[in-house]
Amino acid sequence: MEYHFKEIEKKWQAIWKDKKTFKADDASTKPKYYVLDMFPYPSGAGLHVGHPLGYIASDIIARYKRHKGFNVLHPMGYDSFGLPAEQYAIQTGQHPAITTEQNINRYREQLDKIGFSFDWDREVRTSNPEYYKWTQWIFIQIFNSWYNKTSDKTEKIELLISEFEKNGNAKVNAVCDDNVKLFSADEWKAFSEKEKSDVLMAYRTAYLGEAYVNWCPALGTVLANDEVKDGVSERGGHPVERKLMKQWSMRITAYAQRLLNGLDTLDWTESLKETQRNWIGKSEGTSLKFSIAGPEAERHEQYIEVFTTRPDTIFGVSFVTLAPEHELVAKLTTPEQKAIVEDYVTKAKNRSERERQADVNKITGVPTGSFVKHPFTGKQIPIWVGDYVLAGYGTGAVMAVPAHDERDFKFAKHFGLQLPQVIEPNREHDFEKDAWGDKEGTLINSEFLNGLDVKAAIKKAIEEIEKQNLGKGKTNFRLRDAVFGRQRYWGEPIPIYYKNDIPYALSENELPLVLPEVDKYLPTEDGEPPLARANNWKYKNEFAYEHSTMPGWAGSSWYFLRYMDANNKSVFADKKLLGYWNNVDLYIGGSEHATGHLLYVRFWTKALKDLGFIDIEEPAQKLINQGMITGTSEKIIFEGKIEKIDGVEIESFSSGNNIIFKNGKLFSFSNECPEDTFYSLDVIEHLAIPINTREKNVNISFVKNSILDVEKLSETAEFKNSAFIFKAGASYKGKFYKNDIFPNEPLEFKTRPDVEKMSKSKFNVVSPDDICDKFGADTLRLYEMFLGPLEQSKPWNTNGITGVSGFLKKLWRLAMQTIEAQSAAPPSEKAGDEASKAELKILHATIKKITEDIDRFSFNTSVSNFMICVNELTDLKCNKRSVLEPLLILISPYAPHITEELWNLLGHKDSIIFEKFPVFNPEYLIESNFTYPVSFNGKMRFNIELPVTMTPAEIEKIVLAHESSQKYLEGKAPKKVIVVPKKIVNIVV
RNA sequence: GCUUGGGUGGUGGAAUUGGUAGACACGCAGGACUUAAAAUCCUGUGCUUUCACGAGCGUACGGGUUCAAGUCCCGUCCCGAGUACCA
């Protein structure tokens, strides 16, 4: 009987689906195990071979845990709100819901082919109103809450209101906006509805506030910090600007310390934790007030507050710098400086984030003309404006200590400011060239700090600052509040409406607030988000709804909870089920979510816990980042500045022109003008001078071994008017024009391969379907695991796939031998099935290795161990059911279809899926004899065979008595003998 | 710059707590079967040297600890990832 993987895989996939084999039991007495994959965004490119990598690993664990007797929750869904579907809608007018639905169907089809054991009854889609109803509901809970620093948790807003009614806000210790003014209970009661709303807004955990945000004009929306990479948007790569806007935000900063502390309890990789720690960016220091000098300031009693981690260097301050956006800039600028400062500030504000980053080393700034007083010496210190100071961090103002801070040093050098030294370094240092920024050395020129080392000086300085009421010890975080509104269509509507300019949340029974239909998916003419286009979309037909939608991370910040009770209509998930499934035991996904999703999901989990809805503080105990599988894209080069080909000069070369070599050879395209002209890589490589190249990706289906099928490519719409230059000639519109410069060159057009992330735009997506069709799902599963360690990134190639494919064929043959030999006997009868000692040894060694491999998530070595086992059993011509059956159970998490089929062929009526995972018997692993390598001084070696049960003392005795030892020792006694049981004997002479 | 993970044959990669480095697979070479191809099976395969037995060298580089180092320590170089005027 042949191994027909196609039929087998189709058959079992249908049976599993039909019988709902993988349905997770909500009322089981078994221990639970929750394995979760990061759900995919259903893109138009379909699933590529990189997606299943993590899914296969999690599926192996899920199936393994089922064998081990766990009640496994292993769900899947789709993160189906997002930009690509909306961009597509803008271009085509196609409703994003339709595109999304199509993409999901395609994803599902592809996933089904691989034989995953997902419980599809729990599928979630974030764009489904049934789902986002609860996303909106959670938003409202967070909206109706505030962060109480005293209890260190989020509490209901009603508690805050009743406190205001009793005592005003004097005693309230909350995370809130900086500009909240004190008020008494009576004042509170006298506030208008609007005033009350504004005050509460300053406290709410989800709030509407004015802040500098990342504005992306091309996408027409604001973006969170983690959605901006290198000054451009993560999606699409459009430039991003800083803009002051009124925005919905979430006070994630309130959780900074808890997000930091929680990391210590998690079983995540150190690098991922470190990434989060850096992102949160805790730094401890002190705030410090510099009062403003001069008559004007005295009238207003004004001061500049700075944040510093180096209060010890206070006597080294030679100027103070404000961020251009700092609110005091305008007030402090003297009339003489007004024009120049205003000019500078305007320019700085208009620079995009990208420009600003590109000019990091360009030092710019202007003096305001006014001064502050040094808090201790009273000396006048000039105030400058400089864009190296960020408005968003600390107080937006710094005390500059040029001798001991690199950036201040550069600034001071550039503008010829003083550089007073206050620390004597403990190493040689040139203060002319560099700042001494190390936290080492002894304080000098610093009055009461003199003679102290840096650490002691910091402590003493803070004490003194606090004593004189100039500031206080403070912890600063780099983490910013998360911007929550997006001026886009394809997202969850924020369930807020405005009455008399006051925002109100919808009540629970008014949810979901369904995304309205619009005529176009673009902003309105006056710049309102697309939702403003919706006709008659008003709360109670009267009050305007909020027009921005939620960001992509909203739906994914709680989906792991919804899976626990995915179809519940009355709550987001039943309390009992939340308690039973608790948290995710194993979470697998890409590390690109380290500072986005993985921070937000932890934030929402903590918020929901504080509000009493769930009992867990962290969403996922163990997390594995699967590496990215990159694809090989093929590029062709055009409009290179080609001047010579092997010494032959080209007169004219650019697109649209014919190509004329100086020696008269001509590629004449019948006087037609190609749109683009592409050059084979060997043409480029033969040039005498370096070239500037522009490249275009071509679909890898047109390329084989980096040789382009020009004929086929020329048939596509995009390239039908392009010319292709070979070494041997040129091709244009299906016609080939030969030149005789390289008459012996083959007619091959060479492309440039490049390893890149798989994406539709790069035409380098390899679909798992192709592999399934050619080799089968089991081979795909094994091969992806065999490629290398799960966490590691690796380029996709199918070079080694015949190895695993051959392994499955061997396994099939081995099983067929067994089935033939035992065909008559039903599973219960053991006649003629006595496995030999050698066979049992192989089996039990494999059981041991595989169990260890899975427990440390070393999937690649387990595949190797399967191969070794099957090879050895084949050599022994093993045909024993008692060996084959445990082996099949071992392999079944990895290759579920073939094992299920063989299990069935062996006469079992039940599925292999819940069979008990075999346990190794150490008895079979004890070998009667063991070969010890014996070495002298680690040099001369010989092997000696001894029983493995011997004690080290016995081994030592026998080894020393051996003739080889005697010969080497020449009668002398050895200095030392080391016996490592079952490993080595080492004799030091 | 800082943080972090790495550097092992022609290639992907193995190597629990220091204990025969290179498992397993690909590739390559040779052979068997076949009219032939595919498939399958067998043998060899780190490098240098030798007809061969063997010998020498080998885990980025330089030191060190140890009877024994890919593994531990110190220094250097290189690569990937994250982050970056964060005061």
Side-chain angles (χ1 to χ4, degrees):
Chain A
M1 211 167 138
E2 287 293 301
Y3 171 41
H4 294 300
F5 57 82
K6 266 191 195 165
E7 288 158 36
I8 292 169
E9 287 169 3
K10 223 169 139 187
K11 171 181 158 189
W12 287 105
Q13 282 162 13
I15 292 173
W16 294 333
K17 194 174 180 179
D18 195 43
K19 291 195 173 168
K20 295 193 189 255
T21 309
F22 306 113
K23 201 169 165 50
D25 188 352
D26 284 331
S28 171
T29 51
K30 292 178 187 174
K32 70 97 192 183
Y33 195 85
Y34 187 177
V35 209
L36 182 64
D37 293 290
M38 289 185 190
F39 61 169
Y41 171 79
S43 93
L47 220 54
H48 61 68
V49 287
H51 286 110
L53 185 72
Y55 305 159
I56 294 167
S58 66
D59 198 55
I60 289 168
I61 296 296
R63 287 172 180 272
Y64 171 70
K65 290 288 176 183
R66 286 191 194 99
H67 286 302
K68 283 276 188 183
F70 285 87
N71 181 29
V72 172
L73 176 55
H74 187 215
M76 182 48 81
Y78 306 96
D79 190 10
S80 46
F81 272 133
L83 280 179
E86 183 168 350
Q87 293 296 75
Y88 188 74
I90 290 168
Q91 286 160 21
T92 63
Q94 168 99 284
H95 196 289
I98 296 170
T99 323
T100 303
E101 172 89 22
Q102 284 167 354
N103 291 348
I104 286 178
N105 291 341
R106 168 117 176 81
Y107 264 56
R108 177 63 192 275
E109 216 176 275
Q110 291 183 293
L111 287 170
D112 280 348
K113 275 192 188 170
I114 306 172
F116 292 122
S117 64
F118 295 126
D119 178 357
W120 282 108
D121 288 352
R122 295 172 188 258
E123 179 192 313
V124 301
R125 300 179 185 189
T126 54
S127 62
N128 189 338
E130 297 279 296
Y131 179 87
Y132 70 68
K133 169 180 178 179
W134 299 108
T135 312
Q136 290 172 334
W137 180 84
I138 291 170
F139 168 82
I140 292 168
Q141 307 313 308
I142 296 175
F143 173 74
N144 284 325
S145 68
W146 62 292
Y147 201 91
N148 186 343
K149 277 201 224 174
T150 306
S151 62
D152 199 22
K153 61 187 241 186
T154 296
E155 291 178 0
K156 294 215 157 73
I157 201 83
E158 287 82 9
L159 285 170
L160 187 66
I161 295 171
S162 70
E163 170 66 18
F164 286 169
E165 281 166 355
K166 266 186 253 155
N167 302 312
N169 70 347
K171 287 189 199 155
V172 172
N173 183 19
V175 180
C176 60
D177 290 358
D178 300 329
N179 53 8
V180 175
K181 293 191 180 71
L182 277 178
F183 54 82
S184 66
D186 291 336
E187 283 171 308
W188 169 258
K189 283 172 199 154
F191 281 161
S192 70
E193 182 86 9
K194 170 73 179 155
E195 283 167 322
K196 280 183 179 170
S197 164
D198 288 347
V199 169
L200 285 174
M201 200 53 98
Y203 286 87
R204 290 180 192 274
T205 305
Y207 65 98
L208 192 56
E210 197 156 76
Y212 276 96
V213 295
N214 305 304
W215 170 255
C216 179
L219 294 172
T221 187
V222 297
L223 297 169
N225 282 353
D226 65 281
E227 291 168 321
V228 181
K229 295 259 150 78
D230 300 324
V232 297
S233 67
E234 197 182 18
R235 290 228 182 240
H238 306 290
V240 172
E241 300 167 0
R242 287 166 309 125
K243 196 173 170 185
L244 193 64
M245 278 179 85
K246 207 169 185 190
Q247 275 304 313
W248 283 97
S249 294
M250 291 238 173
R251 236 177 270 280
I252 189 172
T253 44
Y255 289 82
Q257 189 58 49
R258 279 169 70 187
L259 288 167
L260 220 44
N261 295 346
L263 288 174
D264 297 333
T265 67
L266 296 176
D267 192 6
W268 295 10
T269 60
E270 211 39 55
S271 69
L272 183 65
K273 289 191 200 176
E274 202 55 38
T275 305
Q276 290 214 344
R277 285 191 196 109
N278 288 343
W279 190 260
I280 295 166
K282 182 178 179 174
S283 69
E284 281 168 289
T286 179
S287 66
L288 182 56
K289 289 172 195 167
F290 285 80
S291 55
I292 288 153
E296 171 133 359
E298 273 158 20
R299 281 207 306 276
H300 294 86
E301 286 183 335
Q302 279 174 348
Y303 57 85
I304 293 172
E305 190 174 344
V306 302
F307 173 76
T308 179
T309 56
R310 296 296 301 276
D312 54 316
T313 61
I314 177 72
F315 291 97
V317 176
S318 70
F319 56 100
V320 164
T321 315
L322 300 178
E325 294 90 348
H326 200 284
E327 54 178 3
L328 289 178
V329 169
K331 288 184 196 161
L332 288 174
T333 305
T334 56
E336 303 83 68
Q337 291 297 106
K338 196 169 179 230
I340 177 169
V341 169
E342 275 179 3
D343 182 53
Y344 180 76
V345 168
T346 317
K347 270 189 190 149
K349 278 184 180 169
N350 285 340
R351 283 167 87 198
S352 74
E353 202 62 26
R354 179 145 197 132
E355 287 169 329
R356 199 163 157 151
Q357 279 186 9
D359 296 343
V360 158
N361 291 319
K362 208 165 131 195
I363 296 152
T364 63
V366 285
T368 59
S370 45
F371 295 84
V372 288
K373 274 196 298 204
H374 190 283
F376 293 113
T377 66
K379 224 172 107 183
Q380 293 228 331
I381 293 169
I383 305 168
W384 283 67
V385 180
D387 71 354
Y388 80 97
V389 179
L390 302 178
Y393 185 77
T395 59
V398 299
M399 58 176 229
V401 186
H404 303 288
D405 181 277
E406 206 191 315
R407 292 148 312 182
D408 296 343
F409 181 89
K410 281 186 186 154
F411 196 87
K413 274 272 171 191
H414 190 260
F415 292 108
L417 298 159
Q418 288 181 320
L419 300 96
Q421 184 193 339
V422 290
I423 297 170
E424 191 57 42
N426 50 8
R427 287 193 302 273
E428 206 169 293
H429 184 79
D430 185 0
F431 277 93
E432 280 304 305
K433 279 195 193 135
D434 234 336
W436 172 260
D438 295 8
K439 284 189 180 178
E440 282 167 29
T442 312
L443 273 286
I444 52 169
N445 306 328
S446 297
E447 298 187 3
F448 58 89
L449 297 173
N450 280 338
L452 294 170
D453 69 17
V454 168
K455 261 193 183 159
I458 291 175
K459 217 175 139 200
K460 173 94 192 200
I462 295 178
E463 273 171 27
E464 202 58 33
I465 288 163
E466 289 187 342
K467 208 161 88 189
Q468 300 201 20
N469 220 5
L470 297 165
K472 57 179 177 187
K474 198 177 160 188
T475 303
N476 235 328
F477 293 95
R478 199 185 78 101
L479 186 72
R480 305 286 85 204
D481 276 348
V483 178
F484 195 73
R486 295 289 182 278
Q487 289 65 42
R488 302 288 301 195
Y489 175 74
W490 192 231
E492 302 89 344
I494 293 177
I496 292 284
Y497 65 91
Y498 296 88
K499 184 172 163 185
N500 304 325
D501 208 24
I502 301 170
Y504 292 93
L506 267 62
S507 60
E508 186 176 332
N509 57 25
E510 289 163 336
L511 297 178
L513 174 59
V514 178
L515 197 56
E517 297 296 323
V518 293
D519 56 343
K520 264 195 232 163
Y521 304 99
L522 286 169
T524 62
E525 278 67 32
D526 41 8
E528 280 280 294
L531 288 194
R533 291 176 176 273
N535 277 333
N536 301 321
W537 191 57
K538 290 217 155 76
Y539 181 72
K540 302 212 159 130
N541 286 321
E542 198 181 345
F543 307 110
Y545 280 120
E546 168 63 46
H547 285 155
S548 49
T549 52
M550 297 190 198
W553 55 266
S556 58
S557 292
W558 72 282
Y559 75 115
F560 76 103
L561 296 168
R562 185 63 177 172
Y563 282 136
M564 298 177 187
D565 192 9
N567 301 306
N568 199 320
K569 294 236 189 314
S570 53
V571 284
F572 73 94
D574 184 79
K575 189 103 198 184
K576 224 162 71 192
L577 292 174
L578 286 167
Y580 174 67
W581 293 111
N582 199 37
N583 63 355
V584 177
D585 294 282
L586 175 65
Y587 195 19
I588 297 186
S591 58
E592 67 271 22
H593 297 109
T595 52
H597 164 64
L598 286 175
L599 217 46
Y600 297 127
V601 70
R602 294 182 61 216
F603 161 43
W604 277 32
T605 304
K606 286 173 197 299
L608 287 171
K609 192 207 169 184
D610 288 352
L611 295 170
F613 297 114
I614 57 175
D615 294 325
I616 52 170
E617 179 81 17
E618 290 288 345
Q621 187 54 40
K622 167 136 184 103
L623 182 126
I624 297 179
N625 288 128
Q626 95 271 24
M628 191 171 51
I629 291 192
T630 46
T632 306
S633 55
E634 297 286 354
K635 297 178 185 287
I636 53 177
I637 294 152
F638 68 116
E639 285 187 4
K641 285 208 186 297
I642 296 179
E643 293 181 8
K644 281 182 183 178
I645 296 181
D646 258 9
V648 183
E649 283 181 51
I650 300 172
E651 203 161 70
S652 171
F653 59 89
S654 69
S655 293
N657 285 335
N658 296 344
I659 295 190
I660 305 159
F661 289 91
K662 275 264 169 77
N663 68 353
K665 300 282 187 293
L666 167 73
F667 292 124
S668 165
F669 302 114
S670 312
N671 294 324
E672 287 177 87
C673 288
E675 266 171 23
D676 285 305
T677 310
F678 296 96
Y679 302 91
S680 173
L681 192 64
D682 49 4
V683 175
I684 301 281
E685 278 168 356
H686 267 84
L687 298 179
I689 52 158
I691 48 159
N692 290 323
T693 54
R694 278 172 60 198
E695 309 168 316
K696 210 164 196 174
N697 285 74
V698 289
N699 195 318
I700 50 167
S701 64
F702 294 118
V703 183
K704 209 173 178 185
N705 297 327
S706 295
I707 304 292
L708 178 69
D709 187 336
V710 174
E711 227 171 284
K712 274 208 184 130
L713 187 72
S714 304
E715 285 166 18
T716 61
E718 194 186 351
F719 294 99
K720 71 169 192 261
N721 292 320
S722 301
F724 297 87
I725 311 298
F726 298 60
K727 265 187 119 174
S731 156
Y732 178 57
K733 288 208 167 180
K735 260 179 120 175
F736 191 79
Y737 305 84
K738 207 163 161 48
N739 78 37
D740 45 20
I741 302 175
F742 305 107
N744 299 324
E745 286 292 326
L747 291 179
E748 284 176 348
F749 190 94
K750 294 199 171 123
T751 55
R752 195 169 72 78
D754 198 8
V755 171
E756 291 179 295
K757 195 172 169 178
M758 281 191 192
S759 89
K760 202 180 176 182
S761 62
K762 288 178 185 134
F763 303 107
N764 63 347
V765 175
V766 180
S767 151
D769 302 8
D770 303 343
I771 310 294
C772 284
D773 285 348
K774 224 166 154 183
F775 298 98
D778 286 336
T779 300
L780 174 75
R781 293 170 65 108
L782 282 165
Y783 185 57
E784 292 220 2
M785 291 299 101
F786 184 68
L787 268 177
L790 183 61
E791 286 102 328
Q792 196 172 299
S793 285
K794 51 227 154 191
W796 176 256
N797 72 73
T798 50
N799 290 346
I801 202 162
T802 51
V804 280
S805 159
F807 156 72
L808 285 179
K809 287 178 194 164
K810 269 188 203 170
L811 173 68
W812 183 265
R813 276 198 302 275
L814 185 73
M816 284 305 132
Q817 268 174 39
T818 309
I819 289 164
E820 271 163 40
Q822 316 262 320
S823 57
S828 52
E829 244 169 77
K830 292 274 190 270
D833 192 46
E834 280 299 306
S836 71
K837 193 111 190 206
E839 289 166 344
L840 288 172
K841 245 161 87 174
I842 294 164
L843 174 68
H844 285 265
T846 306
I847 297 172
K848 183 167 186 276
K849 280 189 268 184
I850 298 300
T851 314
E852 286 165 0
D853 286 342
I854 298 184
D855 285 342
R856 59 191 171 108
F857 304 99
S858 181
F859 302 102
N860 53 332
T861 51
S862 32
V863 179
S864 293
N865 286 324
F866 289 141
M867 291 185 186
I868 297 169
C869 179
V870 168
N871 281 343
E872 288 179 346
L873 290 177
T874 304
D875 286 348
L876 290 176
K877 297 196 172 14
C878 171
N879 60 2
K880 304 301 189 310
R881 178 189 285 273
S882 56
V883 176
L884 180 67
E885 287 187 350
L887 179 63
L888 288 178
I889 298 170
L890 287 187
I891 299 177
S892 89
Y894 291 78
H897 309 90
I898 187 173
T899 47
E900 188 85 291
E901 175 72 9
L902 291 171
W903 192 253
N904 189 255
L905 290 174
L906 280 162
H908 294 277
K909 289 203 185 76
D910 292 332
S911 161
I912 195 173
I913 284 154
F914 296 94
E915 284 295 323
K916 213 162 162 261
F917 203 77
V919 178
F920 76 93
N921 183 344
E923 223 173 87
Y924 295 113
L925 297 181
I926 295 175
E927 302 171 44
S928 52
N929 288 304
F930 183 82
T931 307
Y932 278 89
V934 182
S935 76
F936 295 89
N937 280 351
K939 278 194 169 171
M940 186 234 137
R941 276 207 281 261
F942 70 95
N943 284 336
I944 183 166
E945 199 165 90
L946 293 171
V948 82
T949 46
M950 268 189 172
T951 64
E954 286 170 322
I955 294 166
E956 185 179 329
K957 218 168 131 190
I958 292 180
V959 167
L960 288 179
H962 195 270
E963 57 173 322
S964 298
S965 309
Q966 288 301 318
K967 212 169 114 193
Y968 199 88
L969 289 167
E970 293 169 336
K972 281 174 276 179
K975 259 192 210 155
K976 209 199 269 177
V977 181
I978 296 121
V979 178
V980 183
K982 291 184 78 181
K983 288 268 161 77
I984 195 166
V985 181
N986 215 315
I987 298 164
V988 187
V989 184

